[in-house]
Amino acid sequence: QQPSQSCLIGRAEADQQDTRSKLYVRDLYSDLLFQPHFCAKVELCTSWLADDNFPRMSLHECSLQDFRNQFEGMNRPVVIRDGAASWPAIKLWTRSYLQDAFGEAKAVAGGYEFRLVDYFTYCDACNKERVDDQPLYLFDRSFVSKAPKLAADYRVPAMFAEDLFSLLGEERRPHYRWIIMGPARSGSTFHQDPNATSAWNAVVCGSKKWIMFPPHVTPPGVHPSRDGADVVTPVSLVEWFLNFYEEAKGEYRDHMVEGIVRQGEVLFVPRGWWHLAINLEESIAITQNFVSEVNLPHVLDFLGESPSQVSGVDKDERQELYQKFVQELERSRPDLMDQERKRRAQQEKQKRLAMMFRADGAATQEPFRFNFF
């Protein structure tokens, strides 16, 4: 049975009003009980926040083609310093404005549904008392239908404007946009974005510390299943920093990209990159996943080869998404499908060439490996 919202929201108030006598137990030691308490109360180490090696650029410094050549085509992250600085949301999105926009509609946070007034009460308790080692993170994909006026308060940055999934229409495409908010120390644990898409994440207020690793480097402390469908990570974000940040800075220093993204800045998250984000203060952000012509081949490969792992659509629609997407591309962007056919023909040619060498013998012999099994 799920705990009630009043249980989640009113912990601090309940403690003050509780007149029952308390039971004190001596000589009880439990890592299971202590670890969440410690992660909730410990200060964030300044060394965790000091380094920043994100490439950064201005919205006005380069063209769409420059962005694609330097970053999207190279599958490299970048922070757009002024990517959201001119949005109306920067000035408008106060607590009261958002509460008015949502009205009685409920937003989703940590699997629970809250009225925003109740969620903000919970945030106040987290910010003041640090009552939770895993503060509930509001992550709502239906915010535009629940609070329609918010859609007019932000604009997709020009370099992310092309989104080929939009050809499917709002009802048939995978989920792609979310409003995100939460108290300090809330955030998302390590994951890769769905369906081989890239994403952008814009900070409307507050600030976030990001840790990122390229697709071929699994972060320390992260254990994905063989097919990538499931990922085991430390329970809380602070727990990862306590146990694995120094290891990442040492053994993984050549691969890790990190930094703080602040109000008005937009982070480009390339396809397949592992990423973690922790709010350094109460923060609000908008994020969208997208398919451009640059990452289209990777999205088509994923949809066609791993339909069981497709997300953002109903389970019975996963198998059909690839074919529906291809049909819409053939109808609306035949130029891209011509390129895709040429790419696949080249891949087949390379495969046949590799098989010829393999049949030939020594040219493709496997390198020597120790084998203890």
Side-chain angles (χ1 to χ4, degrees):
Q1 182 178 356
Q2 293 184 340
S4 67
Q5 287 189 22
S6 59
C7 176
L8 291 167
I9 297 166
R11 291 178 184 172
E13 296 177 1
D15 286 344
Q16 294 173 359
Q17 297 171 4
D18 189 357
T19 57
R20 296 173 297 179
S21 24
K22 293 180 169 51
L23 176 66
Y24 294 93
V25 180
R26 298 181 60 185
D27 302 322
L28 173 65
Y29 303 94
S30 169
D31 287 338
L32 183 65
L33 296 176
F34 176 73
Q35 182 77 358
H37 169 80
F38 180 68
C39 288
K41 301 298 183 182
V42 68
E43 297 291 339
L44 299 184
C45 183
T46 56
S47 65
W48 299 346
L49 311 179
D51 289 342
D52 190 326
N53 61 350
F54 274 130
R56 293 176 184 267
M57 60 176 284
S58 168
L59 194 62
H60 310 292
E61 282 178 353
C62 70
S63 65
L64 171 62
Q65 199 56 50
D66 290 335
F67 166 73
R68 288 183 170 177
N69 290 341
Q70 297 176 40
F71 298 104
E72 189 179 13
M74 301 293 290
N75 210 41
R76 297 173 56 215
V78 62
V79 173
I80 316 299
R81 290 192 299 269
D82 49 1
S86 63
W87 287 3
I90 297 293
K91 294 181 179 179
L92 292 176
W93 284 14
T94 62
R95 281 187 173 190
S96 59
Y97 182 87
L98 293 172
Q99 286 176 210
D100 178 70
F102 272 84
E104 291 300 307
K106 295 182 178 180
V108 178
Y112 302 98
E113 290 190 325
F114 292 85
R115 293 183 308 153
L116 279 196
V117 63
D118 296 328
Y119 181 69
F120 287 139
T121 301
Y122 168 77
C123 288
D124 286 338
C126 287
N127 291 328
K128 183 179 180 181
E129 303 292 338
R130 294 192 196 165
V131 296
D132 204 335
D133 66 318
Q134 306 170 66
L136 299 180
Y137 199 33
L138 190 150
F139 211 87
D140 197 296
R141 67 173 185 259
S142 302
F143 73 98
V144 170
S145 61
K146 296 174 181 177
K149 74 176 184 178
L150 298 185
D153 294 339
Y154 77 96
R155 296 180 296 275
V156 177
M159 60 269 293
F160 311 126
E162 181 182 53
D163 185 1
L164 296 169
F165 265 155
S166 66
L167 298 174
L168 291 166
E170 287 293 313
E171 297 302 318
R172 296 197 303 160
R173 66 168 300 160
H175 305 315
Y176 70 105
R177 62 181 171 187
W178 294 262
I179 188 171
I180 308 170
M181 66 179 84
R185 304 159 82 97
S186 63
S188 57
T189 56
F190 274 112
H191 64 282
Q192 295 169 304
D193 277 356
N195 304 330
T197 57
S198 297
W200 56 266
N201 186 295
V203 178
V204 176
C205 73
S207 56
K208 298 171 176 286
K209 170 74 179 190
W210 289 77
I211 306 286
M212 303 181 70
F213 291 88
H216 66 284
V217 180
T218 303
V222 175
H223 305 281
S225 60
R226 186 179 296 274
D227 63 1
D230 299 298
V231 179
V232 176
T233 67
V235 173
S236 73
L237 296 167
V238 173
E239 184 179 354
W240 184 87
F241 276 94
L242 285 167
N243 294 323
F244 298 104
Y245 181 77
E246 291 305 320
E247 179 183 348
K249 291 292 290 182
E251 184 178 347
Y252 294 77
R253 63 183 178 276
D254 293 335
H255 303 289
M256 187 168 75
V257 179
E258 62 177 320
I260 297 175
V261 181
R262 297 178 172 83
Q263 183 182 51
E265 296 184 325
V266 179
L267 173 64
F268 168 59
V269 182
R271 60 169 177 80
W273 275 66
W274 292 96
H275 52 283
L276 163 158
I278 182 170
N279 288 335
L280 303 181
E281 56 192 307
E282 186 170 311
S283 301
I284 303 172
I286 291 287
T287 188
Q288 290 192 187
N289 290 73
F290 67 97
V291 183
S292 74
E293 60 186 75
V294 175
N295 69 327
L296 176 62
H298 304 281
V299 172
L300 288 174
D301 285 347
F302 181 87
L303 298 181
E305 296 170 7
S306 307
S308 63
Q309 295 179 37
V310 169
S311 65
V313 296
D314 291 340
K315 191 172 183 179
D316 58 357
E317 296 177 359
R318 294 176 183 174
Q319 300 287 338
E320 302 174 3
L321 183 61
Y322 171 78
Q323 195 59 43
K324 290 178 179 177
F325 190 31
V326 167
Q327 288 172 356
E328 291 299 334
L329 287 167
E330 292 280 15
R331 181 180 299 115
S332 302
R333 293 297 305 271
D335 57 317
L336 295 180
M337 290 309 299
D338 287 341
Q339 294 177 23
E340 179 64 14
R341 279 186 283 271
K342 291 176 182 177
R343 180 184 74 90
R344 297 205 170 194
Q346 183 63 26
Q347 284 183 336
E348 287 301 317
K349 183 178 178 180
Q350 291 173 347
K351 285 180 183 179
R352 288 195 298 270
L353 187 61
M355 291 179 65
M356 288 173 59
F357 274 97
R358 193 171 296 119
D360 219 25
T364 57
Q365 284 183 1
E366 295 234 336
F368 173 77
R369 294 188 181 90
F370 289 104
N371 190 339
F372 300 105
F373 300 97

